[in-house]
Amino acid sequence: MSFFVILLDTLLDILPIAAIIFGFQYLVIRKPIRHLPQVLAGFVMVLFGLAFFLQGLEQALFPMGELMALQLTSDQVLPQLASDLQRHWTDYYWVYIFAFTIGASTTIAEPSLIAVSIKAGEISGGTIDPLMLRIAVALGMAFGITLGTWRIVMGYPLHWFVLGAYILVIIQTLRSPKNIIPLAFDSGGVTTSTITVPIIAALGLGMATSIPGRSPIMDGFGMIALACLFPIITVMGYAQIAAWLEKRNGAPSPKTP
Amino acid sequence: MDFAFSLLRQMRDSLRDLAPVVLVIGFFQLVVIRQPLPDSVQLFDLVSGLFFVVLGLTLFIKGLQLGLFPVGENLAQAFARKGSVFWLLVFAFALGFGSTVAEPALIAVAGKAAEAVAEGGLIAATETAQNQFAFNLRMVVAASVGTAVVVGVWRILTGWPLHLMIIAGYVIVLLLTLIAPQEIIGIAYDSGGVTTSTITVPLVTALGVGLATAIKGRNPMLDGFGLIAFASVMPIIFVLAYSLIMI
């Protein structure tokens, strides 16, 4: 697709939000917008930025994700196979290692996560260590993606995994320290940045295409869902452990005689 | 001059987002895979594409900070103080809807979903049918985020307990999963994860925090978050329900 077409499509994409903002501002609130030229310049930058991003997405991010899926599941990378043997799920170990590294590395350095974890450390009054919190989120994200690739290899239904994760989340929500819950739910959202989502989506679809017996539509999706759910679990788990450790190391609770 | 500096700083942030991806993929290419790139993938396309990604993301986020965020935040605070529940809810829906429609991650995943659905034979394999599906999917997800923000604002106004509402959302997701077409489940679950990123989170959080500050007895941290939590469950419900109606 030529860049001009992308630019036109992008214009249609951002029209609704422009209409909403200006409509409410002038029709309901009825006040002029401050710094109007700056705001308009901002919209033009959003337009061009989105168009460039979508162009780069088609050109680099999607092909890279698909290429990795294709190569990591090709016979050159998988271990040698004796004739008439079925592949075992452990043969795909490079896929799991790749998924785990991508998940952990994109999350641990995420700027919004760093900001959130420092704030959480302040709110908790020292019970929560910002670095440990970041590690908990990164591990949750990495585990979620790795589990997602394993699910594609095995071909198990996605809703088993989501159901299991939901049950864990609900149990933990009822048992965790109350001030960590908002943070835990937020951390599920910060892990999926605009750059990681396309790579993960292409990886899942590529794997489902190249692994025998899997179909893109039944098996290719679901990694983003798992990548968002597991950080919630690990963050609440970390908070529970931190609270338990503090109770054990601190003064004996007043209830015990 | 300040503007040029802030643009450069934003570009550095975008590069830092991209760096781990490039490093990990580069490591696997050189150490594990050790094969030449296939003919369909040109190294030049990849490098220039990555440049477009960084440039695009930089302009996009900077443009949001210049234009959309200040106006959106002002509006959110104005509506939070205005006192008209009707206009507040209308604005909440419009904000959720509008900020999700242009979300880059959603555009990307909707396109991929349309390809997969066409390959799976659920819709015609023409480009028109795929574009139509991707467009509908984005509209459904955007409407769901709009509804999620309305529910979240309503919760802030009434003070209903958050975790019970989230659990109710999970139960609805599970019930719909039982009856929805199998092919749509993965797409539906993923659509819950793509909505909570670049545009939606700052605007929606501004609304939640503005409201929670304006109403006595509400905690800004707890209530700003509630909106995001709904925004990640509601799309799953809407996409599953949409598939039941349409397919």
Side-chain angles (χ1 to χ4, degrees):
Chain A
M1 222 195 305
S2 77
F3 188 70
F4 182 70
V5 178
I6 295 185
L7 203 61
L8 262 182
D9 280 351
T10 313
L11 185 63
L12 292 178
D13 287 336
I14 65 163
L15 268 183
I17 181 118
I20 286 165
I21 292 284
F22 287 110
F24 275 101
Q25 183 79 39
Y26 285 113
L27 298 178
V28 182
I29 295 284
R30 291 180 203 194
K31 274 186 208 153
I33 291 177
R34 277 177 289 174
H35 312 297
L36 189 61
Q38 182 193 324
V39 170
L40 291 177
F43 268 100
V44 174
M45 282 169 69
V46 166
L47 171 65
F48 275 88
L50 194 54
F52 274 122
F53 177 80
L54 294 175
Q55 171 78 31
L57 189 77
E58 290 294 332
Q59 221 175 299
L61 291 185
F62 278 154
M64 270 161 64
E66 276 162 21
L67 182 68
M68 291 308 293
L70 197 71
Q71 289 180 326
L72 287 174
T73 53
S74 68
D75 287 334
Q76 283 91 335
V77 173
L78 293 175
Q80 291 296 315
L81 201 61
S83 55
D84 69 274
L85 261 179
Q86 287 279 310
R87 282 234 176 268
H88 196 243
W89 64 267
T90 49
D91 289 351
Y92 293 96
Y93 56 90
W94 277 122
V95 174
Y96 311 135
I97 298 174
F98 177 71
F100 193 90
T101 350
I102 270 281
S105 66
T106 51
T107 311
I108 196 93
E110 173 75 33
S112 51
L113 176 60
I114 297 176
V116 166
S117 59
I118 293 172
K119 202 171 165 192
E122 287 164 7
I123 292 173
S124 73
T127 0
I128 291 169
D129 178 21
L131 182 66
M132 286 299 289
L133 185 70
R134 274 164 64 193
I135 293 174
V137 175
L139 281 181
M141 160 77 164
F143 180 76
I145 296 198
T146 313
L147 194 70
T149 54
W150 183 72
R151 184 195 74 84
I152 294 176
V153 169
M154 302 303 287
Y156 289 144
L158 173 68
H159 53 267
W160 295 359
F161 293 83
V162 174
L163 171 70
Y166 275 2
I167 291 174
L168 258 177
V169 169
I170 292 173
I171 292 172
Q172 284 183 304
T173 309
L174 299 175
R175 299 188 59 96
S176 292
K178 281 284 164 287
N179 57 357
I180 196 75
I181 294 173
L183 188 83
F185 275 90
D186 260 4
S187 59
V190 293
T191 51
T192 48
S193 83
T194 314
I195 287 178
T196 20
V197 163
I199 291 263
I200 297 174
L203 182 73
L205 284 169
M207 282 178 63
T209 314
S210 56
I211 292 177
R214 301 287 163 267
S215 83
I217 184 158
M218 296 297 291
D219 306 296
F221 293 92
M223 290 223 281
I224 300 166
L226 294 175
C228 288
L229 273 173
F230 278 89
I232 307 182
I233 293 169
T234 51
V235 168
M236 287 200 282
Y238 167 63
Q240 283 169 307
I241 292 172
W244 178 75
L245 278 179
E246 194 189 37
K247 205 190 254 170
R248 203 188 57 169
N249 294 340
S253 74
K255 276 180 201 159
T256 46
Chain B
M1 224 24 227
D2 279 353
F3 178 70
F5 270 125
S6 70
L7 206 60
L8 278 179
R9 203 170 323 125
Q10 187 56 54
M11 193 156 222
R12 193 194 59 194
D13 285 352
S14 304
L15 271 175
R16 195 167 47 192
D17 273 356
L18 186 67
V21 175
V22 172
L23 285 178
V24 171
I25 290 182
F27 174 81
F28 271 76
Q29 285 293 336
L30 296 175
V31 179
V32 180
I33 295 174
R34 282 178 298 176
Q35 284 165 32
L37 289 175
D39 290 337
S40 59
V41 181
Q42 299 290 324
L43 188 63
F44 174 78
D45 279 353
L46 289 184
V47 174
S48 62
L50 288 179
F51 173 74
F52 285 147
V53 165
V54 170
L55 178 72
L57 215 53
T58 307
L59 284 175
F60 181 72
I61 293 174
K62 208 64 217 169
L64 288 180
Q65 287 170 351
L66 272 183
L68 201 56
F69 288 168
V71 181
E73 280 163 20
N74 269 340
L75 273 178
Q77 278 159 10
F79 275 106
R81 295 209 172 81
K82 203 168 183 262
S84 158
V85 174
F86 171 75
W87 277 115
L88 179 65
L89 293 180
V90 172
F91 177 71
F93 183 85
L95 190 73
F97 182 89
S99 62
T100 308
V101 162
E103 177 63 51
L106 178 62
I107 299 177
V109 168
K112 282 286 165 198
E115 282 174 31
V117 168
E119 272 171 43
L122 283 175
I123 57 168
T126 60
E127 197 170 321
T128 331
Q130 286 186 25
N131 285 344
Q132 188 61 42
F133 179 86
F135 179 79
N136 289 351
L137 185 63
R138 280 171 50 204
M139 288 304 137
V140 170
V141 173
S144 72
V145 176
T147 311
V149 181
V150 169
V151 173
V153 165
W154 185 251
R155 188 194 73 84
I156 298 178
L157 295 176
T158 56
W160 289 350
L162 175 73
H163 60 276
L164 291 183
M165 295 177 78
I166 295 286
I167 291 173
Y170 282 178
V171 171
I172 296 174
V173 167
L174 294 174
L175 291 178
L176 283 174
T177 303
L178 295 177
I179 49 172
Q182 294 285 309
E183 292 86 356
I184 214 77
I185 290 174
I187 296 171
Y189 283 176
D190 271 359
S191 62
V194 296
T195 51
T196 50
S197 35
T198 329
I199 318 180
T200 318
V201 172
L203 283 181
V204 165
T205 311
L207 182 65
V209 171
L211 259 181
T213 331
I215 301 174
K216 280 203 184 76
R218 299 287 181 269
N219 178 343
M221 185 183 162
L222 275 166
D223 293 316
F225 132 78
L227 297 175
I228 306 289
F230 288 127
S232 57
V233 178
M234 204 65 89
I236 310 182
I237 296 176
F238 268 54
V239 175
L240 288 175
Y242 169 75
S243 75
L244 277 173
I245 296 164
M246 292 308 294
I247 299 175

